[in-house]
Every structure is written in structure tokens, then in C-alpha cells.
Amino acid sequence: MRKMLLAIAMVPWVAFTAEQADALKGAAAVLQEIKAGVEAAKKKTDDNKDTPTGAFEAAVKRFAQEADGLAPDAAAERWLELADQHIGLGADADKGRDIFRGEFYDDSDDTADLTFGKLVMALPAPNTWGLIREGLDKRQQAAYAPRRAFLQILMAYLARDIETAQRLLTALKDKDVLSSSEYSELTTDLAGEEKDYRQEELEKLQAALKSPTVSQRGSTHYLPDLAEMLPMEEAEQLLRAVFKQRLPVEFKYDAGEETIALAQRVALEMRDELVAPYWNLVTDSPEGGALYALFAERFKPFEQELRFEKDGSLPYEIMQRVREVTGALEKAVAMKLKDGRVDEALKLAHPFVSMVAKIPQENGDRSSTLSFSIGDRSIRIPAQHKFDFYVRLLGQAPSLPIPRAFALSGIACGREDEVEQFFLKRLDDAALPPSQRRMLREVYADFLLAVDRVAEAVALRNGILADALKSKTKTEYDDWVNSGYALETAKLAALANDDKAQRVSLDHALKIWGMLQEGGWHLESLIEGLEQSGRESEVEPLLIDHMVKQLVDEDEDERNDARFSKRLLSFYVRRHRMADAMALLETSPWWGKARDALDVLEDGGSDFANALANTLYEAGRVVEAKQLLAEIMRGNHSMDWSYELLLKTAGDDLNGFIAQMDALYARSAFEERPLIWKAEALRRLNRLEEAERVIRHALKVDPTDGEQPPGDRCRAYAVLAEILDAQGKADDAKFFRDVVESVRVAEKGDEFKDLGLARRSFECYAKAEALFADAYCVQWRLAEQLCEMGKPEEARKHYEIAFERMPEQFGQVASLCFHCMGVFDSPESVSAGEGVLTRLAGMPPVRPTVYYLLGQLRETQKRYAEAADWYAKALEADPDYLDVMTNLYGLKGKLKESDIDWTALQNKMLRLAPLTLRFDECEILDWSTFWGIRNAAIKTLPPPLEALFPLTANVKRLDDAGETPRQQASRHYRNYYRSYNRRFRSSNLTGADVLLAVPFAKGLAQADARLARATGEEEE
């Protein structure tokens, strides 16, 4: 039987030999070596003390279990009693103060008040909220009146009684209970979107213009979108005042195209009145070019005297000025080159070249600061024009750094021999300072990679690393080289089949890691590199050394020793050393404050969850493995490994597995994974017609799986191919296999592109196109690559094909693949999209996705009203198109006038995706409805898992050491936060940015915690 295409999507276990397996120490030996290495380390032992949180937690837990069965008045009174208990915790500094301190939490300093969070989490149904408000108003606790006020503010907020909440906040500020910053943050939270950062920036700008002296105006101001916020006459008057008073202003893209265009026009009209240049107002447009010419002629920036520090470097303020002016020059030059006016571009650049000549050759700033690179996604320059410009520019200024853009444009023109001669001639210069030589070698290595001379590039990069390691102090190299650079070189060496060079690169990475200890990401990459090169026996010593340093050098409350155990367990699972993995769970005393495997699951990531589940399954702990998978799938339905393992645990009970898939899909109709795996189970049962119906339904949800990692996208096509093959439809099956293979080849091209192998990546994309020419993502990759090669005209036809195919290849969830994000970021894609989508919109029947894409295009162009109209058309065609609703809701605050019922729209979105939808930085408009929808959805979930697998050795260590109240409170917090995640969030909603179900409560908790600390200190 043909091997299933599904196998390509599984996380692979690295192949290993018996000799390699024997070379590993094993868990017992590793743990023993660590213990031996930290024998001299001091262990803290504090008597275990009870804290006031215990009684409070028990009461909260009882109430949560009983609240739904209580009458509203009884539920309100019980919660008010909890509020009294919470308030009382601050009365005794000796017993209660520690639990309010935020700084001992490992996760974040702003998750300050444990008990306040629990109190909010226990809030009963909306039919009690009015009674709770009345009860709070009646309670008289003068000593802690401010603490009661926090709860009154919260309840007023939920009732949308903003006036009362604001009055109470102001009273607390007047009594110095709230600091100015706390008051400002909470007031902003109350106002929601009514007062945003743009209004604040505008007010600051207006205040600065009224200040009598420059010193009173503060630092640089960021211009908001005046054209959207003010009548055009007022916006113009404000800009004229800015220019007249020489107010320092940054013209960022957030200001909006219309505001920037207005500022450019005003500046050009005031050319004789300008007293200072505004270089960041120069854009790659005709107006921007005219402004550059005006500023350059009036203020002659490159003719200003350069001043150097004693060490030969440019002072910071001069360096910043030069960078700002050079950035404006690059845009002006790009506009000339776009039209082929090379002579005019060189004339513009001449003052810059003259300035560079004044900088001493040995000065590093010549290479690090004064590089000159033209063209980006906003403007495409034909490769020939760019290369001709650089050749002549470098001829005029031989010491100017050679930029990567010069090398790539030369390659695109087929003139790579000339490019290489530039590099070699410069490298032959014996007087070239070390810093410039090093940067030149780096760019030359990039050139070699781009033309697929991988072995030479690897040798050069290894030489750069070797020179770096000769430095006496790490500050000489850690700004520009790290183990990531070395590991990337090792990957390139593997592509070149150069084992010796790969070993050298990995040795460099190990040495740099030993000197810098750069952090988790580098360590994970280093482990991966060692495993992939067959040096897995070096992983254990690396982790032992790192762990010993942590145990000896870091405070117990600061280090993350659980991360060591998680890394080692994952490593053993990848090596299929399942006995060692299980031994770690049972015998490792380094799982942080965790007492159960669940405690380390939340921040362990998908890889660790995968390793843990496989460990339990392979050890015959099938029940625990199933429990863990169910817990994971409460919040994350998108990880294929979890479905694969769940299918294994099902054994012959495929019908039971299918029922589980149906239940999962019922929770989230916008996640296709349950359908895909249901179809696979049906295929195995030979229920082929039903399997085909289910998998085609999955394709309607999201056919491309763009949010999945490489190697796992288009799984639905792979399953469909197997189903069709089983039905005897070999030709149809081959078609879908070619679709999957096309995407896999394109993903390999992405990998080559990320490594700088431009030529090799383009070959992959061309091969992928031959396999399946209609894949929009492949056409998109070809277009992007051609644009980067300076061939925008050739790119356009591929953009057009991509836009032709997108509407039919999008599902209900339009998850673009990773390399297709930023659909309308380039002028070529905008132009192609405009033509294709407008044409498709006029050819009925029109797919809703066409309207959706046109809405995205107009939104990118900041034509918000038109974008809203296109989104409305998409919703007329498909009323449940969630992606469209999300984008439409994102226009809230951008539309000057709208009759859209935002509350109704938000509530509909919540009903469609009650467990997965998140509103970033946006207040809930109807808390009562939100509470009802979310709570009803939560009740459909299975009960959260309270315990999974006791970490026996770690529990013993904690008990033997004796937790201090501070440690106990931290553990209480961790358990609470884990419970909160499971109750209120899915994988799409994780993160530490919002602690509580009510975002506003986070700010109140911070202020409440500060008050508790202050009260405790006063009473001491």
C-alpha cells in the first residue's frame, strides 16, 4: 500500500543508531551529575506557613461550585461576603501583605493582586450585578473605604455607568490613593475607544504650540492623522504653526497618507518661511522628491562640519542626523532610478559621497552608519538602473561600503562577474580597517550564497566566526555575531554536504554559547543543530552545564529550572528514549514550583505537550495520555500531533474517535482539524463516500492551512488524495498529491530563501509551479522573488494569477500562508489586485471572497468607507463570514460616520466563535451579553483537569525545603492563572497581556495592590 501522505506532517523523531543511543548518559546519570555539581549550593529552608489566601481560596472554590444553583439575592450576598473577606486581607500586614506583592511573580510584575483576580473570577451572573452594587454602597468599612471603592468602580464599569466610575476614580486620586499614572491609565480604560492615543498626541501637540519656550515643549512629537481627526482647514493651520515654530515632529505612517500629503503641500507652499528641515516628511513620491530638493538646497546637510569623539566615532546626535538625511536621500534617489534617470540620481548623491570622503578611512562609522541602500517594498527599481547607479557611485567613492542591494541587482542583470570583482578588489586593500573588512566579508558571503556557491560562503562565514572568537572581550563581537549566525552556517554546510565545515560551525556555536549564554532561543537552536548533525551525545553535557550554572548562580525564585527538565524530556522523546523521559517525570527534582505535570504544561509550548503526551502513551499510561489530550483540546484544536496520538489511543474504537471529532467541531466551526481527522477515521473504516463529504467540508473551512507550520499545510488535500485513491480514482488522487507536493517544494524554497539562497529558492518555486500552476501561494512566491530581483514587470503576471486563484482557494477562514502575508504591501500587488479583483467583482456570480479582498485593498489604501461597503457586500453573500466581520469591526474608530451597530456586530461574532474570538485592545461593548455567551460556551467544555501526573521527586523537594508564604502565594497564583486560562481562553487567546475576564480589573488590581502595600507599611 502506498505510504500515506499524512506522514509528511508528523513531527519526526530523529533517526539514530544503536551506537549513538548508547552514547547518551540517560536521565539517572544526568540528574546525578547535576546534583554533584551543586553540592556546595546553599538551599533555603523556610517553615511552611499558612497565609490568609487559604480560607479565601476555599470560599471562592465553594462559591464557584454553588453559584449557578443560588437565587440572585443569595448569590449576590455570598459574593459580597467574599468581597468583605478580600478587603479584610489587607487589614493585617503580617498575614496579608505578601499576597498583594506583584514583584515575586515570575510571569509579570503587573499581575499584582492575586485575591482581587479571584474575586472578579467568582463574579456571578449579570442578574446579580444590580444587587451587588447596592450591597457595596450599603457596606461601611471606613478603614478600607478605598478598597471597597475599587469594587464599586468595577461594578459601575460593568453596568456602563461610566459617570459614577469616573467620579469614584477622581475621589481616589484626590485622596492620593491612586497615583497620577494609575489614574490616567484607568480613566483611559473607562473611556475605551472614545479617547485613544491619537487624541492624546493631538492634545500634546496643541499644548506644545502654545508653550512660550522650546524647552517647555518636550521631546519629539508624533503627528496623528490630522486629516481624519480635524476639518482640513484646522489641520492645515496646525501644520503651518508647526513649521513656523520649528516644533520637532515625526511624520510617521500612522499619520495617514492624506495628512502626510497635506503636510508636504503646506511645506512646499511655505518654502520661504521654513526654518528647519523635516527629513522624515520626504517620501518616495513626486512631492517627497521636491521636498528633498528644497531641504537639500536650503539647509545643505552634507556640507555641515563633522565632529568626532576621541575614539574616532561620530557623536550620537550627528550620527542620527546623518542617518535621517541619508534615509531621505535614498527615497529621492529611488524615485529618479525608477524612471531610469541615473545621471540625476548620481547628482543628488554627490554631496553624500563628498561627506563620506571626509571621514577617516579607519573610522568604523564609515561602514556601520553611512551605508547607502535604495529601494524597498514601497517602490520597485528595475535591476539594471539600480546596478548602473551603484557601479558609478562606487567608482566615484571607492571606500563607500558595498551594499547587498548592489550585489543582488548585479546578479539579476547577469553581471555577477563584475560584482565579484568589486568585492575582491576592495578585499585586496591592505589598508582596509578591520571593522570595514569584516562587514565586507559578510556581504560577500551573502553574494556567494545568492549565486549558489554555498561551500565558499560557508568557508568565509566560518572564517568570520573564527576571527570573532579571537577577540579578547565579548563586547567586540556580540553586537554582530552570535550562536544563531554560527548555527545558520552549520545548516548551510549541511546543504553543501560538507561535514567538516558543519562540525567547525557547530564548534563555533558552542564556544559562543559558552561565552554569552544568550538565552532560551539560542539554546533550543543549538540543541537542534547538534541533533541534526548526529552530535546528540553533546546535548546532555550542554544541558547539565547550563543547569548547574542556573542552580549555583541564580536565586530560586528567579530561575526557571522547569525549563531544563522540559528540554531534556523533549530531547529524550525525540531520541525515542521513553524510559528516560518517564524517569525525568518521576525523579527530576527540577520542575520549578510544579507539583503535577499540569503545572508545567501551560508555558511549555506545543513541543513539550507533544513530548509529555507521547511519554505517557509509550509508558502504557493511556488513560493519562487521553486525559492530557482532552485538556489540551479544550483550548487548542489545531495541533495535528494531538489528533494523531488521540487516534492511536482510540485503537479499534474509530467510531468513538469520530464522536470526539464531532464534539470538537461543534465547539469551533472555524477550525478544520476535527473534520480532517474525522475524514481520516472514516477512510480507515472504508466509509469512503462519507469520508469524501467530510473532507470537502473541511476544504470549505480552510483549504490551505496557512497558519500551520511548514510540512503540515494542505493536510486536507493529502487526506482527500488517499480517499480518492481508495475509491479507484487514481487520476484525481494524483492531482491532489501534486497539489501537496507543490506546496512542500515551495516550502523548501522558503527555507532556501531565508538562508539567502536566492537562486536555489527561485528554482524551487519554478518546480512548484510546474507541479500545480494554480496554487496562489506558489504564484505569490514567484512574484515576490521577481520583485526582489528587480524584475517588477515579470512579477506582475504572477501576482495576477495569484489574485485570480485566491477567491476560489480561500475558505470560511482565509488563512494566508506564511510567505503571502502583507497582500497589498507592494505597489505591484496593489496594481495587480486592483485590476483582477475589480474585474471579478463585475462577473456574477461573485464569490464573497472577492468582496473581502477588495475590502482589504481599500482598507490598506485608508479608504475606510469604501472598505466597509465591500465588507458589507461580502456579508450579504455570506452572513456568517467571520473573517469579514473581524475586518469590518477593525474599522470601528476609523469611520468618521457610520450607521453600523457595533454592539450587534460584536455580539454576533461572539456567538459564532464564543471560545476563540478575541478583541485586541478593545472594550467589550455589552458585558452582560458577553458574560452570557462566554459562560454558556464554557459550560459545553468538559471539566478542566485538576491533576494528571504527580511529579514525585519535585513534590518531595518542595515539601522538604518548606515553602515560605511568598513561595506558597506564588504557587497559588500559578494554579489560579492556569485555571483561568482553561476557563476563559483558548490557544488563540493566550498571553500575559490580559489577566482577568474583565480587562479593566487588571488596572484596578494594580492600584489595589499598591494601596495594600502602602497600608501594610504604615501599620508596621
Side-chain angles (χ1 to χ4, degrees):
M1 180 179 175
R2 184 185 292 107
K3 185 179 180 181
M4 281 193 60
L5 283 174
L6 286 175
I8 59 179
M10 286 303 298
V11 177
W13 281 337
V14 181
F16 63 97
T17 65
E19 291 79 12
Q20 290 169 335
D22 291 339
L24 297 179
K25 299 173 184 291
V30 167
L31 296 177
Q32 187 58 43
E33 286 193 30
I34 293 173
K35 290 175 182 176
V38 295
E39 280 181 354
K42 227 176 173 185
K43 292 188 177 180
K44 298 178 181 178
T45 56
D46 292 306
D47 294 331
N48 188 21
K49 299 177 182 177
D50 292 331
T51 68
T53 60
F56 181 78
E57 283 190 338
V60 169
K61 188 172 183 178
R62 286 195 302 272
F63 179 69
Q65 295 170 344
E66 300 167 4
D68 286 345
L70 298 175
D73 56 347
E77 185 58 33
R78 285 276 298 278
W79 191 86
L80 286 166
E81 291 171 1
L82 288 176
D84 292 339
Q85 197 170 354
H86 156 72
I87 292 171
L89 286 172
D92 190 332
D94 292 335
K95 294 182 179 178
R97 200 182 71 182
D98 265 353
I99 66 171
F100 296 107
R101 292 187 178 276
E103 57 267 24
F104 68 80
Y105 296 137
D106 292 341
D107 298 70
S108 172
D109 285 343
D110 60 11
T111 55
D113 186 2
L114 175 69
T115 60
F116 192 99
K118 286 188 174 293
L119 190 63
V120 174
M121 292 289 288
L123 196 67
N127 61 5
T128 67
W129 292 357
L131 297 170
I132 288 173
R133 285 192 74 185
E134 293 176 9
L136 286 171
D137 291 341
K138 292 176 181 177
R139 274 163 161 71
Q140 298 298 321
Q141 294 167 314
Y144 286 91
R147 307 290 301 285
R148 180 165 52 88
F150 284 123
L151 299 176
Q152 290 175 305
I153 292 167
L154 175 60
M155 299 312 298
Y157 174 78
L158 291 175
R160 308 308 299 153
D161 184 359
I162 304 302
E163 182 179 350
T164 297
Q166 184 62 60
R167 175 174 53 77
L168 290 167
L169 276 177
T170 304
L172 290 175
K173 180 179 181 296
D174 292 342
K175 295 176 182 178
D176 293 327
V177 172
L178 288 176
S179 67
S180 297
S181 62
E182 287 170 333
Y183 176 77
S184 176
E185 289 175 9
L186 290 169
T187 299
T188 300
D189 287 342
L190 274 181
E193 289 192 339
E194 296 303 316
K195 181 179 180 181
D196 57 21
Y197 75 95
R198 301 178 306 164
Q199 185 62 36
E200 292 180 9
E201 289 296 336
L202 177 59
E203 292 172 2
K204 290 178 184 176
L205 192 63
Q206 291 169 330
L209 288 170
K210 296 176 182 177
S211 299
T213 63
V214 174
S215 62
Q216 294 177 338
R217 295 176 183 176
S219 58
T220 301
H221 298 272
Y222 296 95
L223 196 74
D225 195 341
L226 300 180
E228 185 177 316
M229 301 171 67
L230 298 173
M232 291 301 286
E233 296 79 7
E234 291 183 30
E236 182 173 337
Q237 290 174 4
L238 188 147
L239 285 166
R240 289 185 181 278
V242 166
F243 293 141
K244 283 182 179 179
Q245 296 190 32
R246 196 179 179 178
L247 195 68
V249 170
E250 288 277 354
F251 292 89
K252 298 289 186 181
Y253 186 73
D254 286 346
E257 295 178 4
E258 194 173 358
T259 297
I260 290 176
L262 174 63
Q264 289 174 329
R265 176 175 65 78
V266 171
L268 288 169
E269 290 176 2
M270 295 177 64
R271 63 177 60 241
D272 296 330
E273 303 174 65
L274 292 177
V275 293
Y278 289 85
W279 296 106
N280 52 48
L281 194 52
V282 174
T283 60
D284 44 21
S285 65
E287 294 77 13
L291 274 178
Y292 178 82
L294 170 62
F295 294 158
E297 176 61 30
R298 173 76 64 82
F299 303 105
K300 303 191 182 303
F302 293 119
E303 296 180 18
Q304 296 177 23
E305 183 179 353
L306 294 176
R307 177 170 52 83
F308 299 96
E309 304 286 8
K310 290 182 180 180
D311 63 359
S313 64
L314 288 169
Y316 177 78
E317 64 276 8
I318 294 180
M319 191 183 300
Q320 287 294 95
R321 172 176 60 80
V322 171
R323 283 175 174 165
E324 194 175 59
V325 177
T326 304
L329 171 61
E330 289 170 355
K331 293 183 176 67
V333 166
M335 287 298 297
K336 300 289 186 185
L337 294 180
K338 180 185 177 184
D339 299 328
R341 294 182 287 174
V342 179
D343 290 338
E344 294 177 40
L346 286 165
K347 186 177 180 180
L348 279 180
H350 180 73
F352 168 80
V353 173
S354 300
M355 181 198 69
V356 172
K358 298 176 186 177
I359 300 178
Q361 176 80 354
E362 66 276 5
N363 190 301
D365 288 318
R366 167 175 276 180
S367 57
S368 63
T369 305
L370 304 179
S371 58
F372 193 83
S373 182
I374 49 176
D376 54 27
R377 287 184 64 86
S378 63
I379 182 169
R380 304 293 193 185
I381 303 168
Q384 187 65 56
H385 300 333
K386 186 183 292 189
F387 184 69
D388 289 346
F389 170 79
Y390 272 125
V391 167
R392 293 169 63 181
L393 182 71
L394 293 170
Q396 294 175 11
S399 62
L400 196 69
I402 297 179
R404 188 171 183 269
F406 164 63
L408 294 181
S409 62
I411 295 169
C413 294
R415 296 165 69 178
E416 58 194 64
D417 289 342
E418 292 180 55
V419 174
E420 186 161 24
Q421 288 306 310
F422 267 89
F423 281 113
L424 296 178
K425 183 178 180 181
R426 184 70 59 82
L427 287 169
D428 279 341
D429 183 358
L432 194 66
S435 62
Q436 293 191 37
R437 183 176 298 278
R438 185 259 300 164
M439 292 189 69
L440 189 62
R441 292 169 76 198
E442 283 190 71
V443 179
Y444 183 38
D446 289 343
F447 163 77
L448 292 172
L449 290 174
V451 296
D452 213 13
R453 290 160 60 181
V454 182
E456 295 173 69
V458 167
L460 186 54
R461 287 167 66 110
N462 271 335
I464 292 170
L465 287 161
D467 290 345
L469 287 166
K470 292 176 185 176
S471 301
K472 300 299 181 184
T473 62
K474 69 177 185 179
T475 55
E476 294 180 36
Y477 66 86
D478 66 0
D479 284 340
W480 64 272
V481 68
N482 52 42
S483 60
Y485 186 81
L487 289 166
E488 186 177 79
T489 306
K491 285 185 179 180
L492 291 165
L495 286 173
N497 295 315
D498 191 335
D499 293 340
K500 182 179 178 181
Q502 187 182 21
R503 286 196 301 273
V504 170
S505 302
L506 283 171
D507 288 342
H508 288 327
L510 286 166
K511 289 177 183 177
I512 293 172
W513 164 259
M515 296 177 71
L516 296 183
Q517 297 286 312
E518 297 149 300
W521 179 85
H522 290 281
L523 182 56
E524 298 288 353
S525 299
L526 194 52
I527 292 171
E528 179 186 353
L530 290 170
E531 287 190 75
Q532 290 178 348
S533 63
R535 294 169 61 172
E536 60 280 337
S537 62
E538 297 177 53
V539 171
E540 289 171 316
L542 179 70
L543 287 172
I544 290 170
D545 177 68
H546 181 57
M547 185 59 184
V548 169
K549 286 180 179 176
Q550 278 197 81
L551 292 172
V552 172
D553 298 338
E554 296 185 20
D555 181 83
E556 185 175 358
D557 289 325
E558 299 299 325
R559 68 172 186 257
N560 191 342
D561 51 8
R563 192 171 295 162
F564 155 79
S565 296
K566 285 184 284 189
R567 286 188 179 120
L568 188 57
L569 183 139
S570 297
F571 168 70
Y572 283 141
V573 170
R574 289 194 299 273
R575 311 311 306 166
H576 209 211
R577 303 266 298 213
M578 310 311 290
D580 285 310
M582 179 57 71
L584 270 180
L585 290 173
E586 295 173 331
T587 63
S588 173
W590 294 300
W591 290 101
K593 299 294 189 297
R595 292 175 172 268
D596 190 276
L598 274 184
D599 297 335
V600 290
L601 184 65
E602 290 296 330
D603 61 348
S606 173
D607 288 344
F608 173 69
N610 186 351
L612 179 59
N614 273 285
T615 299
L616 295 171
Y617 176 75
E618 293 287 339
R621 311 288 290 260
V622 179
V623 172
E624 287 94 332
K626 284 185 173 182
Q627 289 176 331
L628 175 59
L629 291 170
E631 179 68 11
I632 291 168
M633 289 181 173
R634 291 182 87 257
N636 193 329
H637 306 164
S638 64
M639 298 183 294
D640 279 308
W641 67 261
S642 61
Y643 292 91
E644 177 80 7
L645 186 56
L646 191 63
L647 190 54
K648 283 183 182 180
T649 65
D652 295 331
D653 185 18
L654 292 180
N655 287 317
F657 176 82
I658 289 170
Q660 287 178 289
M661 297 302 99
D662 287 337
L664 284 173
Y665 184 66
R667 292 186 211 164
S668 177
F670 297 97
E671 175 52 63
E672 71 283 357
R673 252 54 209 159
L675 295 174
I676 293 173
W677 285 91
K678 176 182 178 179
E680 169 56 17
L682 289 167
R683 184 193 70 82
R684 295 186 186 189
L685 288 170
N686 205 35
R687 292 158 57 180
L688 300 179
E689 290 186 6
E690 188 179 354
E692 184 177 355
R693 286 197 301 272
V694 172
I695 200 64
R696 290 191 183 278
H697 186 185
L699 287 168
K700 289 180 181 179
V701 176
D702 185 2
T704 57
D705 300 338
E707 81 284 3
Q708 296 296 325
D712 206 14
R713 296 168 187 151
C714 296
R715 178 178 284 270
Y717 287 119
V719 174
L720 179 56
E722 295 299 320
I723 293 169
L724 293 171
D725 196 48
Q727 291 174 327
K729 302 175 183 177
D731 290 342
D732 291 342
K734 182 182 182 304
F735 171 80
F736 287 109
R737 287 195 176 98
D738 286 346
V739 171
V740 177
E741 180 62 18
S742 173
V743 173
R744 294 294 171 268
V745 172
E747 289 171 345
K748 192 65 179 176
D750 296 340
E751 182 182 352
F752 290 149
K753 183 180 179 182
D754 292 341
L755 289 170
L757 299 167
R759 185 168 291 172
R760 194 176 295 196
S761 69
F762 190 79
E763 291 171 357
C764 279
Y765 297 151
K767 182 180 177 181
E769 182 187 28
L771 285 165
F772 182 47
D774 284 340
Y776 82 84
C777 55
V778 173
Q779 295 292 338
W780 190 271
R781 287 165 165 86
L782 284 166
E784 292 284 282
Q785 190 88 328
L786 286 165
C787 278
E788 291 182 13
M789 293 166 62
K791 299 179 179 180
E793 292 305 316
E794 292 182 46
R796 182 181 175 88
K797 66 178 182 180
H798 293 286
Y799 277 126
E800 289 176 344
I801 297 173
F803 280 115
E804 290 273 4
R805 300 282 77 86
M806 273 184 197
E808 66 193 43
Q809 292 176 17
F810 277 10
Q812 292 172 309
V813 180
S815 57
L816 294 164
C817 62
F818 180 76
H819 279 258
C820 301
M821 302 305 286
V823 179
F824 299 111
D825 282 356
S826 70
E828 291 80 16
S829 67
V830 168
S831 176
E834 183 78 54
V836 171
L837 296 172
T838 302
R839 175 170 54 79
L840 292 177
M843 298 169 60
V846 182
R847 294 176 182 267
T849 45
V850 173
Y851 299 137
Y852 172 54
L853 286 165
L854 276 167
Q856 286 183 297
L857 173 58
R858 296 293 175 253
E859 188 174 349
T860 301
Q861 296 168 328
K862 295 188 177 292
R863 293 157 61 177
Y864 300 125
E866 295 177 54
D869 290 340
W870 285 117
Y871 291 146
K873 282 181 176 290
L875 288 176
E876 286 177 15
D878 183 353
D880 291 338
Y881 201 154
L882 184 61
D883 276 1
V884 175
M885 294 183 208
T886 302
N887 279 45
L888 178 60
Y889 193 85
L891 297 178
K892 184 176 181 290
K894 295 178 181 178
L895 295 174
K896 294 180 179 179
E897 295 181 3
S898 174
D899 57 0
I900 297 172
D901 186 340
W902 298 109
T903 302
L905 177 61
Q906 186 184 79
N907 288 340
K908 182 174 182 179
M909 294 164 69
L910 284 166
R911 289 188 178 94
L912 286 171
L915 291 171
T916 59
L917 197 65
R918 177 181 178 181
F919 295 92
D920 290 332
E921 299 179 8
C922 174
E923 65 173 352
I924 298 297
L925 301 177
D926 180 355
W927 276 108
S928 180
T929 301
F930 168 78
W931 192 97
I933 293 172
R934 182 63 62 88
N935 201 49
I938 289 167
K939 288 181 180 179
T940 67
L941 298 175
L945 194 60
E946 296 298 330
L948 174 68
F949 187 90
L951 302 172
T952 310
N954 203 57
V955 171
K956 184 177 185 305
R957 176 181 65 84
L958 292 173
D959 289 343
D960 290 346
E963 287 183 298
T964 64
R966 166 175 166 150
Q967 293 166 335
Q968 187 184 50
S970 179
R971 180 166 54 80
H972 284 318
Y973 164 71
R974 288 181 178 282
N975 291 337
Y976 153 64
Y977 187 70
R978 175 164 56 82
S979 173
Y980 160 68
N981 261 343
R982 294 203 302 275
R983 182 180 174 193
F984 279 92
R985 294 188 172 190
S986 76
S987 62
N988 296 328
L989 303 180
T990 56
D993 56 332
V994 180
L995 172 62
L996 304 171
V998 182
F1000 181 64
K1002 176 181 173 182
L1004 291 174
Q1006 292 172 328
D1008 183 49
R1010 189 183 66 79
L1011 173 67
R1013 292 197 294 272
T1015 304
E1017 288 162 1
E1018 290 171 359
E1019 292 186 0
E1020 281 186 337

